[in-house]
Amino acid sequence: MGLALRRIGFGPPNGIIRSACPIYSLCTRGSCCEKVGQAPHFEPLCRAYSVRCGASPIFSQPRRWERRVTCCVSFFDRLKRWFSIHSLVAVNDPLPLRACLSFPSDPMAPQTIYVARRFGRLANRLVLTAHIAAYARERGHRVVNYTLHSYAHLFEHLQHDLACGFPVSRRRSWASYLPLVHSSIRKTRVCYHTVRYASKIAPTLPIVGHRSVSIDDSATDLMDARGVISLDQPALQARLAGKSRVFVYGWQFRAPELLAQHADEVRDYLRPADAIARVARQSVAPLREVADVVVGIHRRQGDYRTWLGGRYYFDDLAYQRWMHQIAGQFPGQKVAFLVCSDEPWDAASFAPHSVFAGPGSAFADITALGLCNLVVGPVSTFSQWASFAGNVPLVLLTGADLRVDVSASRVSMGDVLPGITPDELSTTGTQHAA
C-alpha cells in the first residue's frame, strides 16, 4: 500500500498520514487502539487498521466507529477512482484496501431488539416479552417493545418509559413530562406501526439494510418439532451476527432456560404498578387470615365456551371436584380458594370450601393469583403468567377428567401451550385474554 501511495506522488507514507489523510485526525480524537504493531503492512495508513486486526477496544462503541470507518472507506474509494490506485497496489499486499478499512461484523456487538408484532392481548404479550428480555439480558442486548403501549400504565417501570424497554431505564422518557403527548403517542400506536413496517423494509434498504435483520416464526428451518424457535440456538445466532437492529415478528420465540436464569430481573422489569399490587394484596389478605394454604383458581368461561370447540371450558362442578382433590393433598392444613373469573359466579357452587373473589380486573386478578401458594387454571397464558410473575407452582387443567396432582406442579416459564397453534391462540378475546 505504501508503494502504491508513493507511485501516485504523495511522498513518504508518514507524511501523507500527518498532512493529507483525514483518518489520522479522526482516530487521534477518539480512543483508538495503540497496538499499531499488529498491522505492519498497513501501519502507514492509520491506526484505524487495528479495527481490522481485532486489536482495538472500539467494539464497545460500534456505531460511532462505524461512521468513522465508513468515512475512511469513502475517502479511499475516491482516491482509487481518481488515481486508478487499484492498478498500482503492490501484488504482495496481504489485504485489499476495502477489506483493510471495512468495519468488522462483531457477533458480540450489542443489538437493539424490536418486538415488531402485537400478538393477542395482555398475557400473550407478556410471555413473549419475558423470553425476549431474558435472551437480551444474557447477550447484553437492549429491547424496545412498543407492543406493550396499550398496557404500559399497568406497570411500574413501563408507565413512564415510552420505549417500554429492557433493561429498565432509571430515567423517565422525555414524553412522560408531557402527559398529553405521551398518551397520544401510545393511543395512536404510531411507534408500534413504525417498527412493524420497518421490520419489513429496513433489511432491504441500501444504507441500513446490512445492519438490520427481521426474523419471524415462519422460518421453518429454525423450528423444533413443536414449532418453537429457540432464541439461543446457533443457527439463529449465525443469522443475527453482526447486526445492530433485530426485528422479532412472531409468537413462537422462546428461551425457557435463559428465562429461568434471569427470572428475577424479568419479573422486576414487568412488575405491576404499586396501586395494582396494593389491590391484589388486599384481596389475598383475608384468605391468609383464615387459611394455611391459599390456592388461586383461574375460572375461565366467556370465550372458552366456544374456543377450540369448548376444549378447555369447564363448569363449576368440575372446579368443585378439583378443589376437593387439592384440599385432600394438604392434610392437617386449612385450604382457602381465591377465584378469579371473567364471569359472575356463585360461592354456593363450590361448597363446602372457603372461597373468596378476586379483585375483578384482569391485571389485578393475574397479580392476585401470583400471590397465592398454588395457581390452578385452564390452558392459557393468563394462568402461565400468574405462575411466573408470582413464582408459584402451576397446575394446567387440560381436560375435565384430569386428576390434580399438586406434587407435579412447577413454576411456569411460559413455554408454548400444549396442543395449541399460534392462530388458535390469537382467536381468544375476553378481558382475561389468553
Side-chain angles (χ1 to χ4, degrees):
M1 189 66 217
L3 174 61
L5 291 174
R6 288 191 185 95
R7 286 181 181 178
I8 60 177
F10 276 92
N14 290 339
I16 297 172
I17 295 301
R18 287 179 165 77
S19 61
C21 179
I23 308 176
Y24 182 81
S25 60
L26 283 172
C27 289
T28 53
R29 292 173 191 162
S31 55
C32 64
C33 181
E34 296 294 337
K35 300 179 181 178
V36 296
Q38 296 192 27
H41 295 285
F42 294 94
E43 180 180 349
L45 285 177
C46 173
R47 287 178 296 170
Y49 179 79
S50 58
V51 173
R52 185 66 175 85
C53 75
S56 174
I58 65 175
F59 292 125
S60 61
Q61 300 177 356
R63 295 180 183 175
R64 186 184 75 177
W65 277 95
E66 183 180 9
R67 291 194 296 270
R68 293 186 177 186
V69 176
T70 300
C71 173
C72 299
V73 172
S74 176
F75 172 79
F76 277 101
D77 279 346
R78 286 197 296 271
L79 283 182
K80 288 174 67 175
R81 289 196 300 270
W82 294 341
F83 300 105
S84 300
I85 197 171
H86 59 281
S87 64
L88 299 174
V89 175
V91 293
N92 61 348
D93 281 348
L95 292 172
L97 180 63
R98 175 168 288 276
C100 166
L101 294 175
S102 62
F103 193 79
S105 295
D106 178 17
M108 302 303 293
Q111 299 171 340
T112 300
I113 302 174
Y114 295 90
V115 183
R117 182 190 175 190
R118 292 182 301 167
F119 192 91
R121 296 193 181 183
L122 176 61
N124 286 346
R125 301 183 199 180
L126 292 178
V127 168
L128 178 61
T129 298
H131 284 273
I132 295 176
Y135 165 77
R137 173 63 181 84
E138 177 71 13
R139 295 279 176 169
H141 303 324
R142 179 172 179 261
V143 178
V144 174
N145 191 358
Y146 296 123
T147 68
L148 292 180
H149 270 185
S150 303
Y151 304 104
H153 63 285
L154 301 173
F155 299 89
E156 188 66 23
H157 293 308
L158 305 189
Q159 56 186 332
H160 299 303
D161 183 6
L162 189 62
C164 296
F166 179 87
V168 173
S169 175
R170 299 303 175 183
R171 294 192 300 176
R172 297 176 58 172
S173 300
W174 62 269
S176 66
Y177 294 100
L178 304 170
L180 183 60
V181 174
H182 200 239
S183 60
S184 298
I185 291 175
R186 286 183 165 172
K187 288 180 180 178
T188 58
R189 300 180 179 135
V190 61
C191 295
Y192 162 70
H193 290 297
T194 299
V195 168
R196 182 184 178 188
Y197 291 122
S199 70
K200 301 297 184 182
I201 65 173
T204 65
L205 296 178
I207 298 178
V208 300
H210 71 291
R211 301 288 288 172
S212 304
V213 63
S214 181
I215 54 173
D216 60 54
D217 52 10
S218 63
T220 56
D221 57 318
L222 299 176
M223 291 181 179
D224 62 16
R226 301 173 301 160
V228 177
I229 299 177
S230 173
L231 288 168
D232 212 33
Q233 62 176 294
L236 181 58
Q237 294 310 307
R239 189 169 299 184
L240 303 183
K243 307 298 183 180
S244 60
R245 290 166 295 273
V246 178
F247 298 93
V248 177
Y249 193 91
W251 159 253
Q252 299 288 82
F253 298 95
R254 294 293 187 272
E257 295 83 5
L258 298 182
L259 184 56
Q261 183 178 344
H262 302 293
D264 290 339
E265 290 184 61
V266 175
R267 290 186 184 110
D268 179 67
Y269 164 49
L270 298 171
R271 175 160 52 91
D274 290 341
I276 294 175
R278 189 182 313 113
V279 171
R281 288 193 299 268
Q282 290 172 351
S283 67
V284 176
L287 286 81
R288 294 292 183 191
E289 295 176 358
V290 300
D292 304 308
V293 178
V294 177
V295 178
I297 301 292
H298 176 208
R299 178 182 176 269
R300 182 78 174 259
Q301 304 287 280
D303 59 335
Y304 267 36
R305 283 189 173 87
T306 57
W307 183 58
L308 300 183
R311 184 191 307 172
Y312 300 114
Y313 170 78
F314 309 117
D315 58 22
D316 288 344
L317 186 62
Y319 282 104
Q320 183 194 41
R321 184 173 65 254
W322 285 321
M323 288 180 182
H324 183 71
Q325 294 174 4
I326 293 170
Q329 297 179 52
F330 293 95
Q333 295 179 288
K334 188 171 183 180
V335 180
F337 298 89
L338 179 76
V339 178
C340 296
S341 178
D342 55 349
E343 288 187 355
W345 51 276
D346 184 4
S349 301
F350 308 114
H353 302 289
S354 298
V355 180
F356 296 76
S361 65
F363 197 51
D365 278 355
I366 207 171
T367 304
L369 289 171
L371 297 176
C372 301
N373 300 108
L374 176 70
V375 176
V376 179
V379 173
S380 72
T381 52
F382 193 95
S383 301
Q384 284 187 324
W385 187 257
S387 169
F388 172 78
N391 195 25
V392 295
L394 169 67
V395 174
L396 280 180
L397 304 174
T398 56
D401 57 349
L402 175 71
R403 180 168 183 81
V404 173
D405 181 7
V406 175
S407 63
S409 61
R410 298 290 184 271
V411 176
S412 174
M413 287 297 135
D415 207 351
V416 171
L417 296 172
I420 300 177
T421 67
D423 290 338
E424 291 173 336
L425 189 61
S426 65
T427 60
T428 59
T430 65
Q431 67 163 353
H432 279 217

